[in-house]
Amino acid sequence: MTDAIAISNAQLRFGETAALDGVSLTIPQGTCFGIVGESGSGKTTLMRAVLGLQKLDQGEIRILGKPLVHGRAALRERASFIQPIFQDPAASLSPRSRIRTLMNEVGTVLREPHAATHERLAVILGRLSLPPGVIDKYPHEISGGQARRVAIARALLMKPSILIADEPTAGLDVSVQGDLLNLLQDIRRSQNITLVVISHNLAIMRLIAENAVVMRAGNVIEGGEVGSLFGSPQEVYTRDLLAAWPSIRAVNTKG
Amino acid sequence: MAISLRDLSVDYSLQQGTAHALRGVSLDIKKGEMLGLVGESGSGKSTVAFALMGLLANNARVTLGTATIDGKNFDLTKRNATAALRGRGMAMIFQDPMLSLNPVFTIGTQLGEVLRRRAPGSDRKTRVAMAEDALAKVKLSNPARRMNQYPHELSGGMRQRVVIAMALLSEPALLIADEPTTALDVTVEAQIMREIIGLRDRVGCAVLLITHSLGLVTEYCDAISVLYAGEKLESGTVKAVQRQPGHPYTRMLFDCEVPIDRERHADASQNSFTVISGDLPDPRRRPPGCIFNGRCDVSFAECAVVNPGDYPVGDDAGHSARCLRLATP
């Protein structure tokens, strides 16, 4: 089976800084792939390159076997099978249009009657515990957590085969976070979607991803099957990341 | 007791009616201790901070509440009740450090301003030295150079350090940190929390840490208070509450946390996450009985009628929760 995403030797410099310094990785179809690393390590730049929003200086990206082509037509075609959930939900919501307008656009792109789109939307909103009335609001009228879920609902509405989520749970309450992750897990099981999750939440990454890579300064410094990657990390940096995780320490029931 | 807050109640007037954001919330923080105030979004935890600082929005009104800070009493229902304490007795660290830093002034100018209020009459040279010293204390590299830089030239973690240095200079009796590390990486988060603890130990102030991360609270705090829909449901030492949560909501919150060493299903798509089903009650119309009744997994008939009082939990002094199951018949 062709890989969902194959990146070989991706290089990109912003002035003096190497944002991507020869990144190579392959993401098999139908799996969840994690990209871990702190800000400035190149995670988001890599995501933007895969979406075709950022040209590489060197290297190649293949999506479902086909080389990534730049240009409006190619970008539009890609939208039907690869969808992003941006870190900043405001980036995917226009401040000047109601959420309904945004969702209707999905129907237009998919050439689907609005009634059918809204039928699917109702199910997705329910799963994300968003009130149905949310679609008549403007982005500034909803809370940050709601905006994030709206952005996720929009991405899911496109029925993509690859979903790339940049910090999908940052800033969400534990309970809402659980809801969202269960939904993503559900979608993976029922629709055989490829999920790429960029996050520094290692605890969650361990549980949802099959494979993951750790990035630092534009490089993949370590990668592999999640169980062994987090179970016995080889790199000092990966161990530091794991050690920095605030954990609920087990309490001594007698003391 | 350095800080105590009594019966804080805050209303927001909205187009659709009056929302009761806080109902009779009381907190106590000992000098030199850190209290973690946890709750979901919409629980009113930031409103507590804003009411104390006098930063509430125009449509908010404190209907009841008094605070004792550093031995002085304040009636919070009065506008600007704590104005005298801002920059001297109280300091606040926001989630977004850019909220506290002015983009058009250098770091040095802004730290100098704190000192003009804190140490009036001091000459400029002394103030610069004090500011540089504070930047060095929060482990910001190259303090002398930072003094002449603007906030946009610094990373998020560095800006947060500048804000902590600012708080350090004002030597507060109460430091409020509202989600101070939410916008930062885990490794930076640990460093920033260490700086906050360093500040607390140096100044000997009380710290109110507002967060939704129980991981942070159990790692760094001495005591915990759990807020839900504007009401305090449980409080006690972190150890006691973690060992024996008195309120079902606290227990459910702890269950939702994902430990880094949780058992992992070999097929990753089979791993599922714990949630608290249901939604927050409408803040305009409080349902009768226990506020958590609608989402509770162990509620009984009486819970829908009787609003529970604050009952002691276990034998740990100061550990109490508002759950009817704790009431001794």
Side-chain angles (χ1 to χ4, degrees):
Chain A
M1 196 160 67
T2 42
D3 288 316
I5 299 172
I7 302 171
S8 65
N9 193 31
Q11 293 190 27
L12 178 67
R13 300 188 75 83
F14 293 125
E16 290 285 288
T17 346
L20 298 175
D21 195 6
V23 173
S24 300
L25 52 87
T26 51
I27 301 175
Q29 275 188 56
T31 62
C32 176
F33 192 87
I35 302 177
V36 182
E38 39 182 75
S39 0
S41 60
K43 299 174 301 204
T44 303
T45 308
L46 191 66
M47 166 184 179
R48 290 178 53 84
V50 168
L51 290 167
L53 299 174
Q54 179 73 61
K55 274 191 183 151
L56 294 174
D57 293 344
Q58 252 185 64
E60 196 195 32
I61 296 176
R62 284 173 173 270
I63 300 190
L64 297 168
K66 281 185 265 169
L68 187 109
V69 190
H70 286 273
R72 284 183 79 89
L75 190 69
R76 186 168 303 180
E77 196 208 321
R78 249 192 326 270
S80 63
F81 55 83
I82 182 162
Q83 276 292 320
I85 299 169
F86 288 105
Q87 186 169 5
D88 178 7
S92 34
L93 304 178
S94 163
R96 292 171 57 168
S97 48
R98 288 182 203 277
I99 286 149
R100 178 188 293 278
T101 319
L102 174 84
M103 299 299 182
N104 285 344
E105 263 173 43
V106 174
T108 313
V109 173
L110 291 177
R111 296 170 202 278
E112 185 184 44
H114 283 344
T117 311
H118 280 274
E119 203 172 298
R120 289 194 298 120
L121 180 61
V123 178
I124 296 172
L125 292 181
R127 281 305 308 268
L128 288 167
S129 26
L130 283 166
V134 81
I135 60 168
D136 288 315
K137 299 213 159 127
Y138 285 97
H140 73 265
E141 293 176 305
I142 58 178
S143 73
Q146 282 182 327
R148 187 177 293 274
R149 282 178 277 162
V150 165
I152 292 165
R154 185 210 57 83
L156 292 177
L157 202 57
M158 281 295 294
K159 297 190 280 191
S161 57
I162 305 171
L163 192 63
I164 306 186
D166 193 359
E167 299 285 0
T169 59
L172 292 182
D173 291 322
V174 273
S175 172
V176 178
Q177 166 187 302
D179 256 335
L180 171 63
L181 292 170
N182 286 340
L183 174 74
L184 289 177
Q185 293 282 55
D186 244 27
I187 293 164
R188 274 178 71 197
R189 286 194 297 263
S190 59
Q191 299 175 17
N192 193 36
I193 207 167
T194 307
L195 189 63
V196 182
V197 179
I198 298 172
S199 179
H200 56 239
N201 193 325
L202 303 174
I204 286 172
M205 198 64 95
R206 245 187 97 243
L207 294 174
I208 64 168
E210 274 95 12
N211 299 292
V213 289
V214 179
M215 285 187 72
R216 182 175 209 191
N219 277 305
V220 169
I221 58 164
E222 193 169 1
E225 194 270 319
V226 163
S228 58
L229 176 64
F230 289 172
S232 50
Q234 299 301 308
E235 294 284 332
V236 178
Y237 176 66
T238 314
R239 269 181 252 151
D240 283 351
L241 270 183
L242 283 167
W245 191 250
S247 55
I248 297 193
R249 281 169 293 185
V251 261
N252 182 358
T253 36
K254 283 172 214 135
Chain B
M1 196 70 70
I3 307 297
S4 85
L5 180 67
R6 285 282 158 271
D7 306 317
L8 180 64
S9 303
V10 178
D11 286 355
Y12 283 99
S13 48
L14 306 170
Q15 271 175 353
Q16 307 90 339
T18 304
H20 307 287
L22 292 175
R23 290 184 216 89
V25 173
S26 299
L27 302 172
D28 289 296
I29 316 173
K30 291 194 189 95
K31 214 168 146 57
E33 283 203 348
M34 191 181 306
L35 170 74
L37 183 61
V38 295
E40 296 170 78
S41 28
S43 61
K45 52 193 195 302
S46 288
T47 303
V48 172
F50 291 160
L52 275 168
M53 290 293 287
L55 294 175
L56 284 172
N58 281 333
N59 63 338
R61 202 168 64 86
V62 180
T63 53
L64 196 68
T66 55
T68 311
I69 299 166
D70 217 14
K72 290 187 243 1
N73 293 313
F74 299 92
D75 179 2
L76 296 175
T77 58
K78 293 208 180 84
R79 228 167 233 294
N80 277 329
T82 55
L85 286 176
R86 288 208 290 267
R88 293 196 236 210
M90 256 192 310
M92 183 155 172
I93 301 172
F94 293 89
Q95 176 177 343
D96 180 359
M98 283 310 281
L99 278 177
S100 332
L101 298 174
N102 190 326
V104 302
F105 291 114
T106 60
I107 304 301
T109 310
Q110 303 190 47
L111 291 175
E113 199 181 320
V114 177
L115 284 170
R116 274 208 303 279
R117 185 160 165 82
R118 181 71 220 173
S122 58
D123 63 296
R124 197 177 163 276
K125 250 193 187 147
T126 325
R127 289 204 297 267
V128 169
M130 282 173 81
E132 276 181 25
D133 181 48
L135 290 178
K137 274 183 187 146
V138 296
K139 301 201 183 67
L140 197 66
S141 58
N142 206 343
R145 186 168 150 241
R146 305 292 171 218
M147 292 287 284
N148 296 315
Q149 284 185 312
Y150 289 90
H152 74 265
E153 297 177 79
L154 308 179
S155 71
M158 285 156 84
R159 284 179 204 153
Q160 204 61 294
R161 280 173 202 268
V162 170
V163 177
I164 296 171
M166 239 175 194
L168 186 64
L169 283 176
S170 70
E171 296 181 2
L174 170 65
L175 175 71
I176 302 173
D178 189 359
E179 304 270 9
T181 60
T182 307
L184 304 172
D185 290 326
V186 265
T187 43
V188 184
E189 173 177 84
Q191 294 162 13
I192 293 295
M193 286 312 297
R194 276 199 289 275
E195 295 317 327
I196 292 177
I197 294 210
L199 185 157
R200 179 196 69 184
D201 294 343
R202 212 169 257 137
V203 181
C205 60
V207 184
L208 175 62
L209 177 74
I210 296 173
T211 179
H212 62 240
S213 160
L214 276 170
L216 274 188
V217 172
T218 51
E219 184 111 15
Y220 299 104
C221 290
D222 305 292
I224 178 173
S225 283
V226 182
L227 211 56
Y228 177 79
E231 294 182 22
K232 191 181 79 175
L233 295 186
E234 180 158 6
S235 58
T237 62
V238 167
K239 224 176 174 180
V241 172
Q242 198 182 352
R243 190 168 51 218
Q244 187 189 355
H247 203 284
Y249 179 58
T250 314
R251 168 175 49 79
M252 288 159 103
L253 271 185
F254 272 104
D255 287 347
C256 279
E257 284 289 322
V258 185
I260 190 89
D261 51 359
R262 200 186 102 177
E263 206 171 313
R264 185 173 174 270
H265 202 285
D267 176 0
S269 69
Q270 298 300 320
N271 285 313
S272 66
F273 298 84
T274 316
V275 297
I276 304 174
S277 54
D279 296 303
L280 283 169
D282 187 340
R284 287 164 294 173
R285 280 177 295 275
R286 189 200 185 282
C290 170
I291 186 90
F292 190 60
N293 183 35
R295 300 171 83 177
C296 189
D297 56 355
V298 289
S299 62
F300 49 96
E302 238 180 305
C303 293
V305 197
V306 185
N307 189 0
D310 207 8
Y311 306 107
V313 184
D315 43 14
D316 194 89
H319 183 193
S320 64
R322 289 179 55 191
C323 179
L324 275 186
R325 293 176 315 119
L326 296 167
T328 34

